[in-house]
PDB file of all heavy atoms in Angstrom:
ATOM      1  N   SER L 145      -6.912  -0.813  -1.481  1.00 90.00           N
ATOM      2  CA  SER L 145      -6.641  -0.577  -0.071  1.00 90.00           C
ATOM      3  C   SER L 145      -7.918  -0.350   0.726  1.00 90.00           C
ATOM      4  O   SER L 145      -8.138  -0.968   1.776  1.00 90.00           O
ATOM      5  CB  SER L 145      -5.702   0.623   0.076  1.00 90.00           C
ATOM      6  OG  SER L 145      -5.409   0.838   1.431  1.00 90.00           O
ATOM      7  N   ASN L 146      -8.777   0.527   0.230  1.00 87.00           N
ATOM      8  CA  ASN L 146      -9.981   0.852   0.983  1.00 87.00           C
ATOM      9  C   ASN L 146     -10.988  -0.280   1.037  1.00 87.00           C
ATOM     10  O   ASN L 146     -11.685  -0.439   2.038  1.00 87.00           O
ATOM     11  CB  ASN L 146     -10.608   2.138   0.468  1.00 87.00           C
ATOM     12  CG  ASN L 146      -9.892   3.331   1.039  1.00 87.00           C
ATOM     13  OD1 ASN L 146      -9.734   3.450   2.245  1.00 87.00           O
ATOM     14  ND2 ASN L 146      -9.431   4.210   0.170  1.00 87.00           N
ATOM     15  N   VAL L 147     -11.088  -1.070  -0.012  1.00 90.00           N
ATOM     16  CA  VAL L 147     -11.990  -2.222   0.035  1.00 90.00           C
ATOM     17  C   VAL L 147     -11.508  -3.216   1.090  1.00 90.00           C
ATOM     18  O   VAL L 147     -12.293  -3.676   1.939  1.00 90.00           O
ATOM     19  CB  VAL L 147     -12.120  -2.885  -1.351  1.00 90.00           C
ATOM     20  CG1 VAL L 147     -12.747  -4.268  -1.245  1.00 90.00           C
ATOM     21  CG2 VAL L 147     -12.938  -2.000  -2.281  1.00 90.00           C
ATOM     22  N   LEU L 148     -10.217  -3.536   1.071  1.00 93.00           N
ATOM     23  CA  LEU L 148      -9.693  -4.495   2.051  1.00 93.00           C
ATOM     24  C   LEU L 148      -9.814  -3.962   3.482  1.00 93.00           C
ATOM     25  O   LEU L 148     -10.242  -4.682   4.388  1.00 93.00           O
ATOM     26  CB  LEU L 148      -8.236  -4.842   1.723  1.00 93.00           C
ATOM     27  CG  LEU L 148      -8.032  -5.663   0.450  1.00 93.00           C
ATOM     28  CD1 LEU L 148      -6.546  -5.775   0.124  1.00 93.00           C
ATOM     29  CD2 LEU L 148      -8.658  -7.043   0.592  1.00 93.00           C
ATOM     30  N   VAL L 149      -9.460  -2.704   3.687  1.00 88.00           N
ATOM     31  CA  VAL L 149      -9.533  -2.116   5.027  1.00 88.00           C
ATOM     32  C   VAL L 149     -10.990  -2.008   5.479  1.00 88.00           C
ATOM     33  O   VAL L 149     -11.306  -2.289   6.647  1.00 88.00           O
ATOM     34  CB  VAL L 149      -8.838  -0.739   5.060  1.00 88.00           C
ATOM     35  CG1 VAL L 149      -9.146   0.006   6.349  1.00 88.00           C
ATOM     36  CG2 VAL L 149      -7.332  -0.912   4.905  1.00 88.00           C
ATOM     37  N   SER L 150     -11.880  -1.637   4.586  1.00 90.00           N
ATOM     38  CA  SER L 150     -13.297  -1.504   4.951  1.00 90.00           C
ATOM     39  C   SER L 150     -13.903  -2.839   5.361  1.00 90.00           C
ATOM     40  O   SER L 150     -14.669  -2.912   6.327  1.00 90.00           O
ATOM     41  CB  SER L 150     -14.094  -0.910   3.793  1.00 90.00           C
ATOM     42  OG  SER L 150     -13.695   0.408   3.566  1.00 90.00           O
ATOM     43  N   ILE L 151     -13.579  -3.880   4.631  1.00 90.00           N
ATOM     44  CA  ILE L 151     -14.102  -5.203   4.995  1.00 90.00           C
ATOM     45  C   ILE L 151     -13.557  -5.621   6.360  1.00 90.00           C
ATOM     46  O   ILE L 151     -14.319  -6.054   7.242  1.00 90.00           O
ATOM     47  CB  ILE L 151     -13.768  -6.246   3.917  1.00 90.00           C
ATOM     48  CG1 ILE L 151     -14.544  -5.940   2.632  1.00 90.00           C
ATOM     49  CG2 ILE L 151     -14.095  -7.659   4.407  1.00 90.00           C
ATOM     50  CD1 ILE L 151     -14.103  -6.750   1.431  1.00 90.00           C
ATOM     51  N   ALA L 152     -12.249  -5.473   6.545  1.00 90.00           N
ATOM     52  CA  ALA L 152     -11.649  -5.862   7.832  1.00 90.00           C
ATOM     53  C   ALA L 152     -12.210  -5.027   8.976  1.00 90.00           C
ATOM     54  O   ALA L 152     -12.547  -5.566  10.043  1.00 90.00           O
ATOM     55  CB  ALA L 152     -10.131  -5.727   7.758  1.00 90.00           C
ATOM     56  N   ALA L 153     -12.323  -3.723   8.782  1.00 87.00           N
ATOM     57  CA  ALA L 153     -12.838  -2.849   9.845  1.00 87.00           C
ATOM     58  C   ALA L 153     -14.312  -3.124  10.112  1.00 87.00           C
ATOM     59  O   ALA L 153     -14.751  -3.076  11.266  1.00 87.00           O
ATOM     60  CB  ALA L 153     -12.622  -1.382   9.473  1.00 87.00           C
ATOM     61  N   SER L 154     -15.077  -3.422   9.069  1.00 90.00           N
ATOM     62  CA  SER L 154     -16.503  -3.701   9.290  1.00 90.00           C
ATOM     63  C   SER L 154     -16.673  -4.976  10.110  1.00 90.00           C
ATOM     64  O   SER L 154     -17.554  -5.049  10.969  1.00 90.00           O
ATOM     65  CB  SER L 154     -17.261  -3.797   7.969  1.00 90.00           C
ATOM     66  OG  SER L 154     -16.906  -4.950   7.255  1.00 90.00           O
ATOM     67  N   ILE L 155     -15.832  -5.963   9.880  1.00 90.00           N
ATOM     68  CA  ILE L 155     -15.865  -7.190  10.680  1.00 90.00           C
ATOM     69  C   ILE L 155     -15.431  -6.883  12.114  1.00 90.00           C
ATOM     70  O   ILE L 155     -16.084  -7.295  13.074  1.00 90.00           O
ATOM     71  CB  ILE L 155     -14.958  -8.270  10.047  1.00 90.00           C
ATOM     72  CG1 ILE L 155     -15.538  -8.731   8.713  1.00 90.00           C
ATOM     73  CG2 ILE L 155     -14.783  -9.454  11.008  1.00 90.00           C
ATOM     74  CD1 ILE L 155     -14.587  -9.558   7.867  1.00 90.00           C
ATOM     75  N   HIS L 156     -14.357  -6.134  12.237  1.00 87.00           N
ATOM     76  CA  HIS L 156     -13.802  -5.828  13.565  1.00 87.00           C
ATOM     77  C   HIS L 156     -14.752  -4.973  14.408  1.00 87.00           C
ATOM     78  O   HIS L 156     -14.925  -5.218  15.598  1.00 87.00           O
ATOM     79  CB  HIS L 156     -12.451  -5.130  13.407  1.00 87.00           C
ATOM     80  CG  HIS L 156     -11.776  -4.812  14.687  1.00 87.00           C
ATOM     81  ND1 HIS L 156     -11.171  -5.773  15.465  1.00 87.00           N
ATOM     82  CD2 HIS L 156     -11.617  -3.643  15.343  1.00 87.00           C
ATOM     83  CE1 HIS L 156     -10.669  -5.216  16.546  1.00 87.00           C
ATOM     84  NE2 HIS L 156     -10.925  -3.914  16.492  1.00 87.00           N
ATOM     85  N   TYR L 157     -15.360  -3.954  13.797  1.00 86.00           N
ATOM     86  CA  TYR L 157     -16.212  -3.022  14.546  1.00 86.00           C
ATOM     87  C   TYR L 157     -17.707  -3.342  14.445  1.00 86.00           C
ATOM     88  O   TYR L 157     -18.525  -2.645  15.045  1.00 86.00           O
ATOM     89  CB  TYR L 157     -15.972  -1.580  14.065  1.00 86.00           C
ATOM     90  CG  TYR L 157     -14.581  -1.098  14.353  1.00 86.00           C
ATOM     91  CD1 TYR L 157     -13.723  -0.778  13.312  1.00 86.00           C
ATOM     92  CD2 TYR L 157     -14.119  -0.959  15.661  1.00 86.00           C
ATOM     93  CE1 TYR L 157     -12.429  -0.336  13.571  1.00 86.00           C
ATOM     94  CE2 TYR L 157     -12.831  -0.519  15.928  1.00 86.00           C
ATOM     95  CZ  TYR L 157     -12.000  -0.210  14.876  1.00 86.00           C
ATOM     96  OH  TYR L 157     -10.724   0.223  15.134  1.00 86.00           O
ATOM     97  N   GLY L 158     -18.057  -4.355  13.648  1.00 87.00           N
ATOM     98  CA  GLY L 158     -19.465  -4.714  13.504  1.00 87.00           C
ATOM     99  C   GLY L 158     -20.277  -3.645  12.799  1.00 87.00           C
ATOM    100  O   GLY L 158     -21.436  -3.414  13.140  1.00 87.00           O
ATOM    101  N   MET L 159     -19.661  -2.992  11.810  1.00 86.00           N
ATOM    102  CA  MET L 159     -20.321  -1.921  11.070  1.00 86.00           C
ATOM    103  C   MET L 159     -20.469  -2.337   9.609  1.00 86.00           C
ATOM    104  O   MET L 159     -19.728  -3.180   9.121  1.00 86.00           O
ATOM    105  CB  MET L 159     -19.478  -0.636  11.139  1.00 86.00           C
ATOM    106  CG  MET L 159     -19.288  -0.101  12.538  1.00 86.00           C
ATOM    107  SD  MET L 159     -18.047   1.219  12.610  1.00 86.00           S
ATOM    108  CE  MET L 159     -18.801   2.452  11.593  1.00 86.00           C
ATOM    109  N   HIS L 160     -21.392  -1.692   8.918  1.00 85.00           N
ATOM    110  CA  HIS L 160     -21.555  -1.944   7.485  1.00 85.00           C
ATOM    111  C   HIS L 160     -20.318  -1.402   6.750  1.00 85.00           C
ATOM    112  O   HIS L 160     -19.837  -0.310   7.068  1.00 85.00           O
ATOM    113  CB  HIS L 160     -22.824  -1.249   6.978  1.00 85.00           C
ATOM    114  CG  HIS L 160     -23.227  -1.719   5.621  1.00 85.00           C
ATOM    115  ND1 HIS L 160     -22.657  -1.224   4.477  1.00 85.00           N
ATOM    116  CD2 HIS L 160     -24.122  -2.656   5.232  1.00 85.00           C
ATOM    117  CE1 HIS L 160     -23.188  -1.828   3.437  1.00 85.00           C
ATOM    118  NE2 HIS L 160     -24.085  -2.696   3.867  1.00 85.00           N
ATOM    119  N   PRO L 161     -19.795  -2.130   5.759  1.00 80.00           N
ATOM    120  CA  PRO L 161     -18.596  -1.671   5.034  1.00 80.00           C
ATOM    121  C   PRO L 161     -18.734  -0.279   4.408  1.00 80.00           C
ATOM    122  O   PRO L 161     -17.769   0.473   4.381  1.00 80.00           O
ATOM    123  CB  PRO L 161     -18.395  -2.732   3.952  1.00 80.00           C
ATOM    124  CG  PRO L 161     -19.060  -3.952   4.490  1.00 80.00           C
ATOM    125  CD  PRO L 161     -20.213  -3.469   5.325  1.00 80.00           C
ATOM    126  N   LEU L 162     -19.918   0.079   3.915  1.00 81.00           N
ATOM    127  CA  LEU L 162     -20.097   1.409   3.320  1.00 81.00           C
ATOM    128  C   LEU L 162     -19.967   2.519   4.368  1.00 81.00           C
ATOM    129  O   LEU L 162     -19.430   3.593   4.076  1.00 81.00           O
ATOM    130  CB  LEU L 162     -21.444   1.509   2.602  1.00 81.00           C
ATOM    131  CG  LEU L 162     -21.572   0.658   1.339  1.00 81.00           C
ATOM    132  CD1 LEU L 162     -22.969   0.775   0.748  1.00 81.00           C
ATOM    133  CD2 LEU L 162     -20.511   1.020   0.322  1.00 81.00           C
ATOM    134  N   ARG L 163     -20.431   2.247   5.566  1.00 83.00           N
ATOM    135  CA  ARG L 163     -20.260   3.238   6.635  1.00 83.00           C
ATOM    136  C   ARG L 163     -18.776   3.391   6.960  1.00 83.00           C
ATOM    137  O   ARG L 163     -18.291   4.507   7.181  1.00 83.00           O
ATOM    138  CB  ARG L 163     -21.039   2.825   7.881  1.00 83.00           C
ATOM    139  CG  ARG L 163     -20.872   3.842   8.991  1.00 83.00           C
ATOM    140  CD  ARG L 163     -21.837   3.648  10.108  1.00 83.00           C
ATOM    141  NE  ARG L 163     -21.503   4.588  11.171  1.00 83.00           N
ATOM    142  CZ  ARG L 163     -21.480   4.279  12.444  1.00 83.00           C
ATOM    143  NH1 ARG L 163     -21.810   3.063  12.838  1.00 83.00           N
ATOM    144  NH2 ARG L 163     -21.152   5.179  13.337  1.00 83.00           N
ATOM    145  N   VAL L 164     -18.059   2.277   6.996  1.00 81.00           N
ATOM    146  CA  VAL L 164     -16.616   2.343   7.252  1.00 81.00           C
ATOM    147  C   VAL L 164     -15.934   3.154   6.157  1.00 81.00           C
ATOM    148  O   VAL L 164     -15.085   4.004   6.442  1.00 81.00           O
ATOM    149  CB  VAL L 164     -15.991   0.926   7.355  1.00 81.00           C
ATOM    150  CG1 VAL L 164     -14.487   1.004   7.466  1.00 81.00           C
ATOM    151  CG2 VAL L 164     -16.583   0.168   8.539  1.00 81.00           C
ATOM    152  N   LEU L 165     -16.300   2.920   4.896  1.00 75.00           N
ATOM    153  CA  LEU L 165     -15.714   3.678   3.784  1.00 75.00           C
ATOM    154  C   LEU L 165     -15.913   5.180   3.966  1.00 75.00           C
ATOM    155  O   LEU L 165     -14.996   5.968   3.731  1.00 75.00           O
ATOM    156  CB  LEU L 165     -16.335   3.252   2.456  1.00 75.00           C
ATOM    157  CG  LEU L 165     -15.684   2.099   1.725  1.00 75.00           C
ATOM    158  CD1 LEU L 165     -16.498   1.714   0.501  1.00 75.00           C
ATOM    159  CD2 LEU L 165     -14.258   2.394   1.359  1.00 75.00           C
ATOM    160  N   LYS L 166     -17.106   5.578   4.388  1.00 73.00           N
ATOM    161  CA  LYS L 166     -17.375   6.999   4.608  1.00 73.00           C
ATOM    162  C   LYS L 166     -16.495   7.560   5.718  1.00 73.00           C
ATOM    163  O   LYS L 166     -16.044   8.701   5.639  1.00 73.00           O
ATOM    164  CB  LYS L 166     -18.851   7.215   4.955  1.00 73.00           C
ATOM    165  CG  LYS L 166     -19.776   7.025   3.797  1.00 73.00           C
ATOM    166  CD  LYS L 166     -21.217   7.230   4.217  1.00 73.00           C
ATOM    167  CE  LYS L 166     -22.156   6.932   3.069  1.00 73.00           C
ATOM    168  NZ  LYS L 166     -23.557   7.071   3.475  1.00 73.00           N
TER     169      LYS L 166
END
Side-chain angles (χ1 to χ4, degrees):
S145 181
N146 279 307
V147 165
L148 291 172
V149 168
S150 294
I151 292 169
S154 70
I155 292 167
H156 182 74
Y157 295 116
M159 298 169 63
H160 194 278
L162 292 177
R163 180 167 174 223
V164 174
L165 271 174
K166 288 179 184 178

